[in-house]
Coordinates of all heavy atoms in Angstrom, one line a residue:
M1 N -5.6 15.6 1.8 CA -5.9 14.8 0.6 C -7.2 14.1 0.7 O -7.5 13.2 -0.1 CB -4.8 13.7 0.6 CG -3.5 14.2 0.0 SD -3.6 14.5 -1.8 CE -3.6 12.7 -2.4
R2 N -8.1 14.4 1.6 CA -9.3 13.7 1.7 C -10.3 14.3 0.7 O -10.4 15.5 0.5 CB -9.9 13.9 3.1 CG -11.3 13.3 3.3 CD -11.8 13.4 4.7 NE -11.0 12.5 5.5 CZ -11.4 12.2 6.8 NH1 -12.5 12.7 7.3 NH2 -10.7 11.4 7.5
K3 N -11.0 13.3 0.0 CA -11.9 13.7 -1.0 C -13.2 14.1 -0.3 O -13.6 13.5 0.8 CB -12.2 12.6 -1.9 CG -11.2 12.4 -3.0 CD -11.7 11.5 -4.1 CE -10.7 11.3 -5.1 NZ -10.7 10.0 -5.8
T4 N -13.9 15.1 -0.8 CA -15.2 15.4 -0.3 C -16.2 14.4 -0.8 O -16.1 13.9 -1.9 CB -15.6 16.9 -0.7 OG1 -15.4 17.0 -2.0 CG2 -14.8 17.9 0.1
G5 N -17.2 14.2 -0.1 CA -18.2 13.2 -0.5 C -18.4 12.2 0.6 O -17.5 11.7 1.2
P6 N -19.6 12.1 1.0 CA -19.9 11.3 2.3 C -19.8 9.8 2.2 O -19.7 9.2 3.1 CB -21.4 11.7 2.6 CG -22.0 12.1 1.2 CD -20.8 12.6 0.4
D7 N -19.8 9.3 0.9 CA -19.9 7.8 0.8 C -18.5 7.2 0.9 O -18.4 6.0 0.9 CB -20.6 7.4 -0.4 CG -20.0 8.0 -1.7 OD1 -19.2 9.0 -1.5 OD2 -20.3 7.5 -2.8
L8 N -17.4 8.0 0.8 CA -16.1 7.4 0.8 C -15.8 6.5 2.0 O -15.4 5.4 1.9 CB -15.1 8.5 0.6 CG -13.6 7.9 0.4 CD1 -13.5 7.3 -1.0 CD2 -12.6 9.1 0.5
Q9 N -16.1 7.1 3.2 CA -15.8 6.4 4.4 C -16.6 5.1 4.6 O -16.1 4.1 5.0 CB -16.0 7.3 5.6 CG -15.0 8.4 5.7 CD -13.6 7.9 6.0 OE1 -13.4 7.0 6.8 NE2 -12.6 8.4 5.3
K10 N -17.9 5.2 4.3 CA -18.7 4.0 4.6 C -18.5 2.9 3.6 O -18.7 1.7 3.9 CB -20.2 4.4 4.7 CG -20.9 4.4 3.4 CD -22.4 4.6 3.5 CE -23.0 4.7 2.1 NZ -24.2 5.4 2.0
A11 N -18.0 3.2 2.4 CA -17.9 2.2 1.4 C -16.6 1.4 1.6 O -16.6 0.3 1.1 CB -17.9 2.9 0.0
V12 N -15.6 1.9 2.3 CA -14.4 1.2 2.3 C -14.1 0.8 3.8 O -13.8 1.6 4.6 CB -13.2 2.2 1.8 CG1 -11.9 1.4 1.9 CG2 -13.5 2.6 0.4
P13 N -14.2 -0.5 4.0 CA -13.9 -0.9 5.4 C -12.4 -0.9 5.7 O -11.6 -1.0 4.8 CB -14.4 -2.3 5.4 CG -14.3 -2.8 4.0 CD -14.5 -1.6 3.1
A14 N -12.1 -0.8 7.0 CA -10.7 -1.0 7.4 C -10.3 -2.5 7.3 O -11.1 -3.3 7.8 CB -10.4 -0.4 8.8
I15 N -9.2 -2.8 6.8 CA -8.8 -4.2 6.7 C -7.4 -4.4 7.2 O -6.6 -3.5 7.4 CB -8.9 -4.7 5.2 CG1 -8.0 -3.8 4.3 CG2 -10.3 -4.8 4.7 CD1 -7.9 -4.4 2.9
Q16 N -7.1 -5.6 7.5 CA -5.8 -6.0 8.0 C -5.4 -7.3 7.4 O -6.3 -8.1 7.0 CB -5.8 -6.1 9.5 CG -6.8 -7.2 10.0 CD -6.8 -7.3 11.5 OE1 -5.9 -7.1 12.2 NE2 -8.0 -7.7 12.0
R17 N -4.1 -7.6 7.3 CA -3.7 -8.9 6.8 C -4.1 -10.0 7.7 O -4.0 -9.9 8.9 CB -2.2 -8.9 6.6 CG -1.7 -8.6 5.2 CD -0.3 -8.6 5.1 NE 0.2 -7.5 4.2 CZ 0.0 -7.5 2.9 NH1 -0.5 -8.5 2.3 NH2 0.4 -6.5 2.2
C18 N -4.5 -11.1 7.2 CA -4.9 -12.3 8.0 C -3.6 -12.8 8.6 O -2.6 -13.1 7.9 CB -5.5 -13.3 7.1 SG -5.9 -14.8 7.9
R19 N -3.6 -13.0 9.9 CA -2.4 -13.5 10.5 C -2.3 -15.0 10.4 O -1.2 -15.6 10.4 CB -2.4 -13.2 12.0 CG -2.2 -11.7 12.3 CD -1.8 -11.4 13.7 NE -1.8 -9.9 13.9 CZ -2.8 -9.4 14.6 NH1 -3.8 -10.1 15.1 NH2 -2.8 -8.1 14.7
A20 N -3.4 -15.7 10.3 CA -3.4 -17.2 10.2 C -2.6 -17.6 9.0 O -1.9 -18.6 9.0 CB -4.8 -17.7 10.2
C21 N -2.7 -16.9 7.9 CA -2.0 -17.3 6.6 C -1.0 -16.3 6.2 O -0.4 -16.4 5.1 CB -3.0 -17.6 5.5 SG -4.0 -16.1 5.1
R22 N -0.7 -15.3 7.1 CA 0.2 -14.2 6.8 C -0.2 -13.5 5.5 O 0.7 -13.2 4.6 CB 1.6 -14.7 6.7 CG 2.1 -15.2 8.1 CD 3.7 -15.3 8.0 NE 4.1 -16.5 8.8 CZ 4.3 -17.7 8.3 NH1 4.2 -17.9 7.0 NH2 4.7 -18.6 9.1
G23 N -1.5 -13.4 5.2 CA -1.9 -12.6 4.1 C -1.9 -13.3 2.8 O -2.1 -12.7 1.7
Q24 N -1.5 -14.6 2.8 CA -1.4 -15.3 1.5 C -2.7 -16.0 1.1 O -2.8 -16.3 -0.1 CB -0.4 -16.4 1.7 CG 1.0 -15.9 2.0 CD 2.1 -17.0 1.9 OE1 2.3 -17.6 0.9 NE2 2.6 -17.3 3.1
G25 N -3.7 -16.2 2.0 CA -4.9 -16.7 1.6 C -5.0 -18.2 1.6 O -6.0 -18.8 1.4
F26 N -3.8 -18.8 1.9 CA -3.8 -20.3 2.0 C -2.8 -20.7 3.1 O -1.9 -19.9 3.4 CB -3.5 -21.0 0.7 CG -2.1 -20.6 0.1 CD1 -1.0 -21.2 0.6 CD2 -2.0 -19.6 -0.8 CE1 0.3 -20.8 0.0 CE2 -0.8 -19.2 -1.4 CZ 0.4 -19.8 -0.9
T27 N -3.0 -21.9 3.6 CA -2.1 -22.4 4.6 C -1.5 -23.7 4.0 O -2.2 -24.4 3.2 CB -2.8 -22.7 5.9 OG1 -4.0 -23.4 5.7 CG2 -3.1 -21.4 6.6
K28 N -0.3 -24.0 4.4 CA 0.3 -25.3 3.9 C -0.2 -26.5 4.7 O 0.1 -26.5 5.9 CB 1.8 -25.1 3.9 CG 2.3 -24.4 2.7 CD 3.7 -24.8 2.4 CE 3.9 -24.4 0.9 NZ 4.8 -23.5 0.5
G29 N -0.8 -27.4 4.1 CA -1.1 -28.6 4.8 C 0.1 -29.5 4.6 O 1.2 -29.1 4.1
V30 N -0.1 -30.8 4.9 CA 1.1 -31.7 4.8 C 1.4 -31.9 3.3 O 2.6 -31.9 2.9 CB 0.7 -33.0 5.5 CG1 2.0 -34.0 5.4 CG2 0.4 -32.8 6.9
F31 N 0.3 -32.1 2.5 CA 0.6 -32.3 1.1 C 0.0 -31.2 0.2 O 0.4 -31.1 -0.9 CB -0.1 -33.7 0.7 CG 0.5 -34.8 1.4 CD1 -0.2 -35.5 2.3 CD2 1.8 -35.2 1.1 CE1 0.3 -36.6 3.0 CE2 2.4 -36.3 1.8 CZ 1.6 -37.0 2.7
F32 N -1.0 -30.5 0.7 CA -1.7 -29.6 -0.1 C -1.7 -28.2 0.5 O -1.4 -28.0 1.7 CB -3.2 -29.9 -0.3 CG -3.4 -31.3 -0.8 CD1 -3.7 -32.4 0.1 CD2 -3.3 -31.6 -2.1 CE1 -3.9 -33.6 -0.4 CE2 -3.5 -32.9 -2.6 CZ -3.8 -33.9 -1.7
E33 N -1.9 -27.2 -0.4 CA -2.1 -25.8 0.1 C -3.6 -25.7 0.3 O -4.4 -25.9 -0.7 CB -1.5 -24.8 -0.8 CG 0.0 -24.8 -0.7 CD 0.7 -23.9 -1.7 OE1 0.0 -23.5 -2.7 OE2 1.8 -23.6 -1.5
L34 N -4.1 -25.3 1.4 CA -5.5 -25.2 1.7 C -5.9 -23.8 1.8 O -5.2 -22.9 2.3 CB -5.8 -25.9 3.0 CG -5.3 -27.4 3.1 CD1 -5.3 -27.8 4.6 CD2 -6.3 -28.3 2.3
D35 N -7.1 -23.5 1.3 CA -7.7 -22.1 1.5 C -7.7 -21.9 3.0 O -8.1 -22.7 3.8 CB -9.1 -22.1 1.0 CG -9.1 -21.7 -0.5 OD1 -8.0 -21.5 -1.1 OD2 -10.2 -21.7 -1.1
C36 N -7.3 -20.7 3.4 CA -7.2 -20.3 4.8 C -8.7 -20.2 5.3 O -9.5 -19.4 4.7 CB -6.5 -19.0 4.9 SG -6.5 -18.4 6.6
A37 N -9.0 -20.8 6.3 CA -10.4 -20.8 6.8 C -10.7 -19.5 7.6 O -11.8 -19.1 7.6 CB -10.6 -22.0 7.8
A38 N -9.6 -18.9 8.1 CA -9.9 -17.7 8.9 C -10.3 -16.5 8.0 O -11.1 -15.7 8.4 CB -8.6 -17.3 9.7
C39 N -9.8 -16.4 6.8 CA -10.1 -15.3 5.9 C -10.8 -15.7 4.6 O -10.9 -14.9 3.7 CB -8.8 -14.5 5.6 SG -7.6 -15.6 4.6
D40 N -11.3 -16.9 4.6 CA -12.0 -17.4 3.4 C -11.0 -17.4 2.1 O -11.5 -17.2 1.0 CB -13.2 -16.6 3.0 CG -14.4 -16.9 3.9 OD1 -14.3 -18.0 4.6 OD2 -15.4 -16.2 3.9
G41 N -9.8 -17.5 2.4 CA -8.8 -17.6 1.3 C -8.5 -16.2 0.6 O -7.9 -16.2 -0.5
T42 N -8.9 -15.1 1.2 CA -8.5 -13.8 0.6 C -7.2 -13.3 1.1 O -6.6 -12.4 0.5 CB -9.7 -12.8 0.9 OG1 -9.7 -12.6 2.3 CG2 -11.0 -13.3 0.4
G43 N -6.8 -13.7 2.3 CA -5.6 -13.1 2.9 C -5.9 -11.9 3.7 O -4.9 -11.3 4.3
W44 N -7.1 -11.4 3.8 CA -7.5 -10.2 4.4 C -8.6 -10.4 5.4 O -9.5 -11.2 5.1 CB -7.8 -9.1 3.4 CG -6.7 -8.7 2.6 CD1 -6.4 -9.3 1.4 CD2 -5.7 -7.8 2.8 NE1 -5.2 -8.7 0.9 CE2 -4.8 -7.8 1.7 CE3 -5.4 -6.9 3.9 CZ2 -3.7 -6.9 1.7 CZ3 -4.3 -6.0 3.8 CH2 -3.5 -6.1 2.7
L45 N -8.6 -9.6 6.5 CA -9.7 -9.6 7.4 C -10.1 -8.2 7.7 O -9.3 -7.3 7.6 CB -9.3 -10.3 8.7 CG -8.9 -11.8 8.7 CD1 -8.3 -12.2 10.0 CD2 -10.2 -12.6 8.4
G46 N -11.4 -8.0 8.2 CA -11.8 -6.8 8.7 C -11.1 -6.5 10.0 O -10.5 -7.4 10.6
M47 N -11.2 -5.3 10.5 CA -10.5 -5.0 11.8 C -11.1 -5.8 12.9 O -10.6 -5.9 14.0 CB -10.5 -3.5 12.1 CG -9.7 -2.7 11.1 SD -8.0 -3.3 10.7 CE -7.2 -2.5 12.1
D48 N -12.3 -6.3 12.7 CA -13.0 -7.1 13.8 C -12.5 -8.5 13.7 O -13.0 -9.4 14.4 CB -14.5 -7.0 13.6 CG -15.0 -7.4 12.2 OD1 -14.1 -7.7 11.4 OD2 -16.2 -7.3 12.0
G49 N -11.6 -8.9 12.8 CA -11.1 -10.2 12.7 C -12.0 -11.1 11.8 O -11.8 -12.3 11.8
M50 N -13.1 -10.6 11.2 CA -14.0 -11.4 10.4 C -13.7 -11.1 8.9 O -13.3 -10.1 8.5 CB -15.4 -11.0 10.7 CG -15.8 -11.3 12.2 SD -15.7 -13.0 12.6 CE -17.1 -13.6 11.6
P51 N -13.9 -12.2 8.1 CA -13.7 -12.0 6.6 C -14.6 -10.8 6.1 O -15.7 -10.6 6.6 CB -14.2 -13.3 6.0 CG -14.1 -14.3 7.1 CD -14.3 -13.5 8.4
V52 N -14.1 -10.1 5.1 CA -14.8 -9.0 4.6 C -15.5 -9.5 3.3 O -15.0 -10.3 2.6 CB -13.9 -7.8 4.3 CG1 -14.6 -6.6 3.7 CG2 -13.1 -7.5 5.5
E53 N -16.7 -9.0 3.0 CA -17.4 -9.4 1.8 C -16.6 -8.9 0.6 O -16.0 -7.9 0.6 CB -18.8 -8.9 1.8 CG -18.9 -7.3 1.7 CD -20.3 -6.9 1.2 OE1 -20.7 -7.3 0.1 OE2 -20.9 -6.1 2.0
P54 N -16.6 -9.7 -0.5 CA -15.7 -9.5 -1.6 C -15.8 -8.1 -2.2 O -14.8 -7.5 -2.4 CB -16.2 -10.5 -2.6 CG -16.7 -11.6 -1.8 CD -17.4 -11.0 -0.6
A55 N -17.0 -7.5 -2.4 CA -17.1 -6.2 -3.0 C -16.4 -5.2 -2.1 O -15.7 -4.3 -2.6 CB -18.6 -5.9 -3.2
A56 N -16.7 -5.3 -0.8 CA -16.1 -4.3 0.1 C -14.5 -4.5 0.2 O -13.8 -3.5 0.2 CB -16.7 -4.4 1.5
L57 N -14.1 -5.7 0.1 CA -12.7 -6.0 0.1 C -12.0 -5.4 -1.1 O -10.9 -4.8 -1.0 CB -12.5 -7.5 0.2 CG -11.0 -8.0 0.3 CD1 -10.3 -7.4 1.5 CD2 -11.0 -9.5 0.3
I58 N -12.6 -5.6 -2.2 CA -12.0 -5.0 -3.4 C -11.9 -3.5 -3.3 O -10.9 -2.9 -3.7 CB -12.9 -5.4 -4.7 CG1 -12.7 -6.9 -4.9 CG2 -12.5 -4.6 -5.9 CD1 -13.7 -7.5 -5.9
R59 N -12.9 -2.9 -2.8 CA -12.8 -1.4 -2.6 C -11.7 -1.0 -1.7 O -10.9 -0.1 -1.9 CB -14.1 -0.8 -2.1 CG -15.2 -0.7 -3.2 CD -16.3 0.2 -2.7 NE -17.0 -0.4 -1.5 CZ -18.1 -1.2 -1.6 NH1 -18.6 -1.5 -2.8 NH2 -18.7 -1.6 -0.5
A60 N -11.6 -1.8 -0.6 CA -10.5 -1.5 0.4 C -9.2 -1.7 -0.2 O -8.3 -0.9 0.0 CB -10.7 -2.4 1.6
L61 N -9.0 -2.8 -1.0 CA -7.7 -3.1 -1.6 C -7.4 -2.0 -2.6 O -6.2 -1.6 -2.8 CB -7.7 -4.5 -2.2 CG -7.7 -5.6 -1.2 CD1 -7.9 -7.0 -1.9 CD2 -6.4 -5.7 -0.4
G62 N -8.4 -1.6 -3.4 CA -8.2 -0.6 -4.4 C -7.7 0.7 -3.8 O -6.8 1.3 -4.3
R63 N -8.3 1.0 -2.6 CA -7.8 2.2 -1.9 C -6.3 2.1 -1.5 O -5.5 3.0 -1.6 CB -8.7 2.6 -0.8 CG -8.4 4.0 -0.2 CD -9.4 4.4 0.7 NE -9.3 3.8 2.0 CZ -9.9 4.2 3.1 NH1 -10.7 5.2 3.1 NH2 -9.7 3.6 4.3
R64 N -6.0 0.9 -1.0 CA -4.6 0.7 -0.6 C -3.7 0.8 -1.8 O -2.6 1.4 -1.6 CB -4.5 -0.8 0.0 CG -5.0 -0.9 1.4 CD -4.4 -2.1 2.1 NE -4.7 -2.0 3.5 CZ -3.9 -2.4 4.4 NH1 -2.8 -2.9 4.1 NH2 -4.2 -2.2 5.7
V65 N -4.1 0.2 -2.9 CA -3.2 0.3 -4.1 C -3.0 1.8 -4.5 O -1.9 2.2 -4.8 CB -3.8 -0.5 -5.3 CG1 -3.1 -0.2 -6.6 CG2 -3.8 -1.9 -5.0
T66 N -4.1 2.5 -4.5 CA -4.1 4.0 -4.8 C -3.1 4.7 -3.9 O -2.3 5.5 -4.3 CB -5.5 4.6 -4.8 OG1 -6.3 3.8 -5.6 CG2 -5.4 6.0 -5.2
E67 N -3.2 4.4 -2.6 CA -2.4 5.0 -1.6 C -0.9 4.7 -1.8 O 0.0 5.5 -1.8 CB -2.8 4.7 -0.2 CG -4.0 5.4 0.2 CD -4.6 4.9 1.6 OE1 -4.0 3.9 2.1 OE2 -5.6 5.4 2.0
A68 N -0.7 3.4 -2.1 CA 0.7 2.9 -2.4 C 1.3 3.5 -3.6 O 2.4 3.9 -3.6 CB 0.7 1.4 -2.5
E69 N 0.5 3.7 -4.6 CA 0.9 4.3 -5.9 C 1.3 5.8 -5.6 O 2.3 6.3 -6.0 CB -0.2 4.3 -6.9 CG -0.3 3.0 -7.6 CD -1.4 2.9 -8.6 OE1 -2.3 3.8 -8.5 OE2 -1.5 2.0 -9.5
Q70 N 0.4 6.4 -4.8 CA 0.7 7.8 -4.5 C 2.0 8.0 -3.7 O 2.8 8.9 -4.0 CB -0.5 8.4 -3.7 CG -0.5 9.9 -3.6 CD -0.6 10.5 -5.0 OE1 -1.4 10.1 -5.8 NE2 0.3 11.4 -5.3
R71 N 2.2 7.0 -2.8 CA 3.4 7.0 -2.0 C 4.7 6.9 -2.9 O 5.7 7.5 -2.7 CB 3.4 5.9 -0.9 CG 3.9 6.4 0.4 CD 3.6 5.3 1.5 NE 2.2 5.1 1.7 CZ 1.7 3.9 1.8 NH1 2.4 2.8 1.9 NH2 0.4 3.8 2.0
L72 N 4.5 5.9 -3.8 CA 5.6 5.7 -4.8 C 6.0 6.9 -5.6 O 7.1 7.3 -5.7 CB 5.3 4.5 -5.7 CG 5.7 3.1 -5.3 CD1 5.2 2.1 -6.3 CD2 7.2 3.1 -5.2
V73 N 4.9 7.6 -6.1 CA 5.1 8.8 -6.9 C 5.8 9.8 -6.1 O 6.7 10.5 -6.5 CB 3.7 9.3 -7.4 CG1 3.8 10.7 -7.9 CG2 3.2 8.4 -8.5
N74 N 5.4 10.0 -4.8 CA 6.0 11.0 -3.9 C 7.5 10.6 -3.7 O 8.3 11.5 -3.6 CB 5.2 11.1 -2.6 CG 3.9 11.8 -2.8 OD1 3.7 12.5 -3.8 ND2 3.0 11.5 -1.9
Q75 N 7.8 9.3 -3.5 CA 9.1 8.9 -3.3 C 10.0 9.2 -4.5 O 11.1 9.7 -4.3 CB 9.2 7.4 -3.0 CG 9.0 7.1 -1.5 CD 8.9 5.6 -1.3 OE1 9.3 4.8 -2.2 NE2 8.4 5.1 -0.2
V76 N 9.5 8.9 -5.7 CA 10.2 9.2 -6.9 C 10.5 10.7 -7.0 O 11.6 11.1 -7.3 CB 9.5 8.7 -8.1 CG1 10.1 9.2 -9.4 CG2 9.5 7.1 -8.1
K77 N 9.4 11.5 -6.7 CA 9.6 12.9 -6.8 C 10.7 13.4 -5.8 O 11.5 14.2 -6.1 CB 8.3 13.6 -6.4 CG 7.3 13.7 -7.6 CD 6.1 14.5 -7.2 CE 5.0 14.4 -8.2 NZ 3.7 14.7 -7.6
A78 N 10.6 12.8 -4.6 CA 11.6 13.2 -3.6 C 13.0 12.8 -4.0 O 13.9 13.6 -3.8 CB 11.2 12.5 -2.2
S79 N 13.2 11.6 -4.5 CA 14.5 11.2 -4.9 C 15.1 12.0 -6.0 O 16.3 12.3 -6.1 CB 14.6 9.7 -5.2 OG 13.8 9.4 -6.3
V80 N 14.2 12.4 -7.0 CA 14.6 13.2 -8.1 C 15.1 14.6 -7.5 O 16.1 15.1 -7.9 CB 13.5 13.4 -9.1 CG1 13.8 14.5 -10.1 CG2 13.3 12.1 -9.9
W81 N 14.3 15.1 -6.6 CA 14.6 16.4 -6.0 C 16.0 16.3 -5.3 O 16.8 17.2 -5.4 CB 13.5 16.8 -5.0 CG 13.7 18.1 -4.4 CD1 13.3 19.3 -5.0 CD2 14.4 18.5 -3.2 NE1 13.6 20.3 -4.2 CE2 14.3 19.9 -3.1 CE3 15.0 17.7 -2.2 CZ2 14.8 20.6 -2.0 CZ3 15.6 18.4 -1.1 CH2 15.5 19.8 -1.0
I82 N 16.2 15.2 -4.5 CA 17.5 15.1 -3.8 C 18.7 15.0 -4.8 O 19.7 15.6 -4.6 CB 17.5 13.8 -2.9 CG1 16.5 14.1 -1.7 CG2 18.9 13.5 -2.4 CD1 16.2 12.8 -1.0
E83 N 18.4 14.2 -5.9 CA 19.5 14.1 -6.9 C 19.8 15.4 -7.5 O 21.0 15.7 -7.7 CB 18.9 13.1 -8.0 CG 20.0 12.2 -8.5 CD 19.3 11.2 -9.4 OE1 19.2 11.5 -10.6 OE2 18.9 10.1 -8.9
E84 N 18.8 16.2 -7.9 CA 19.1 17.5 -8.5 C 19.8 18.4 -7.5 O 20.7 19.1 -7.9 CB 17.8 18.1 -8.9 CG 17.2 17.5 -10.2 CD 15.9 18.1 -10.6 OE1 15.4 19.0 -9.8 OE2 15.4 17.8 -11.7
N85 N 19.4 18.3 -6.2 CA 20.1 19.1 -5.2 C 21.5 18.7 -5.0 O 22.4 19.6 -4.9 CB 19.3 19.0 -3.9 CG 18.6 20.2 -3.6 OD1 18.2 21.0 -4.4 ND2 18.5 20.5 -2.3
N86 N 21.8 17.4 -5.1 CA 23.2 17.0 -4.9 C 24.0 17.4 -6.1 O 25.2 17.8 -5.9 CB 23.3 15.4 -4.8 CG 22.8 15.0 -3.5 OD1 22.8 15.8 -2.5 ND2 22.6 13.7 -3.3
R87 N 23.4 17.4 -7.3 CA 24.2 17.8 -8.5 C 24.6 19.3 -8.4 O 25.7 19.7 -8.8 CB 23.3 17.6 -9.7 CG 24.1 16.9 -10.8 CD 23.2 16.6 -12.0 NE 22.3 15.5 -11.7 CZ 21.1 15.4 -12.2 NH1 20.6 16.3 -13.0 NH2 20.3 14.3 -12.0
R88 N 23.7 20.0 -7.8 CA 24.0 21.5 -7.6 C 24.9 21.7 -6.4 O 25.4 22.8 -6.3 CB 22.7 22.2 -7.4 CG 22.2 22.8 -8.7 CD 20.9 23.6 -8.5 NE 19.8 23.2 -9.3 CZ 18.6 22.9 -8.8 NH1 18.4 23.0 -7.5 NH2 17.7 22.4 -9.6
G89 N 25.1 20.7 -5.6 CA 25.9 20.9 -4.4 C 27.4 21.1 -4.6 O 27.8 22.1 -5.2
P90 N 28.2 20.1 -4.2 CA 29.7 20.3 -4.4 C 30.1 20.5 -5.8 O 29.7 19.8 -6.7 CB 30.3 19.0 -3.8 CG 29.1 18.1 -3.6 CD 27.8 18.8 -3.7
G91 N 30.8 21.6 -6.1 CA 31.2 21.9 -7.4 C 30.2 22.7 -8.2 O 30.6 23.5 -9.1
G92 N 29.0 22.5 -7.9 CA 27.9 23.2 -8.7 C 27.9 24.7 -8.5 O 27.8 25.4 -9.5
S93 N 28.2 25.1 -7.3 CA 28.2 26.5 -7.0 C 29.6 27.1 -7.0 O 29.8 28.2 -6.5 CB 27.5 26.7 -5.6 OG 28.3 26.1 -4.6
H94 N 30.5 26.3 -7.6 CA 31.9 26.8 -7.5 C 32.2 27.8 -8.6 O 31.9 27.6 -9.7 CB 32.8 25.7 -7.2 CG 33.8 25.4 -8.2 ND1 35.0 24.7 -7.9 CD2 33.9 25.6 -9.5 CE1 35.7 24.5 -9.0 NE2 35.1 25.1 -10.0
F95 N 32.6 28.9 -8.2 CA 32.7 30.1 -9.0 C 34.1 30.5 -9.2 O 34.8 30.9 -8.2 CB 31.9 31.2 -8.2 CG 31.5 32.3 -9.1 CD1 30.4 32.3 -9.9 CD2 32.3 33.5 -9.1 CE1 30.1 33.4 -10.7 CE2 32.0 34.6 -9.9 CZ 30.8 34.5 -10.7
T96 N 34.6 30.4 -10.4 CA 36.0 30.9 -10.6 C 36.0 32.2 -11.3 O 35.8 32.3 -12.5 CB 36.8 29.8 -11.4 OG1 35.9 29.4 -12.5 CG2 37.3 28.7 -10.6
G97 N 36.0 33.2 -10.5 CA 36.0 34.5 -11.0 C 37.4 35.0 -11.3 O 38.1 34.4 -12.1
D98 N 37.9 36.0 -10.6 CA 39.2 36.5 -10.9 C 40.3 36.0 -10.0 O 40.3 35.4 -9.0 CB 39.1 38.1 -10.7 CG 38.2 38.5 -9.6 OD1 37.6 37.6 -8.9 OD2 37.9 39.7 -9.5
Ligands
ZN1 ZN1 -6.0 -16.2 6.1

């Protein structure tokens, strides 16, 4: 499923959820919710543990969304296939001949 084109890899950094705020981008203070200092309030960090610049982060998130959508589509396809197979299963092949 890899696209050809040399710029895909360098444009999209590897990212991880910020552990300090559990990916929410803010931490709960006593009275206020504060922007998470570890990730600059984005909820995401590069694999080196440093905040990612916004443009690169957007590309990285976009790729994650695309992958997640693809996974969903595949799951739906798979469940439809299983459903159809089950329908054809018990009773479906039952043949009352003579
Ligand atoms: Zn954070």
Side-chain angles (χ1 to χ4, degrees):
M1 279 287 288
R2 175 175 290 193
K3 278 193 181 150
T4 50
D7 58 340
L8 187 68
Q9 288 295 318
K10 86 171 175 206
V12 183
I15 54 171
Q16 59 181 331
R17 262 179 221 284
C18 174
R19 289 201 190 100
C21 62
R22 293 194 217 96
Q24 296 187 69
F26 58 83
T27 51
K28 278 207 158 115
V30 183
F31 299 108
F32 304 101
E33 289 176 343
L34 304 163
D35 274 358
C36 176
C39 62
D40 282 347
T42 64
W44 295 92
L45 293 171
M47 296 311 275
D48 56 0
M50 298 298 290
V52 182
E53 64 162 302
L57 180 60
I58 289 166
R59 282 196 296 270
L61 289 172
R63 190 167 76 168
R64 283 199 168 215
V65 170
T66 304
E67 285 170 359
E69 281 175 343
Q70 198 57 51
R71 220 171 298 140
L72 269 178
V73 166
N74 288 339
Q75 274 175 14
V76 169
K77 278 185 193 160
S79 63
V80 166
W81 186 86
I82 289 166
E83 218 171 89
E84 283 179 357
N85 249 29
N86 283 345
R87 228 176 283 148
R88 266 185 233 127
S93 60
H94 115 158
F95 194 84
T96 40
D98 32 8

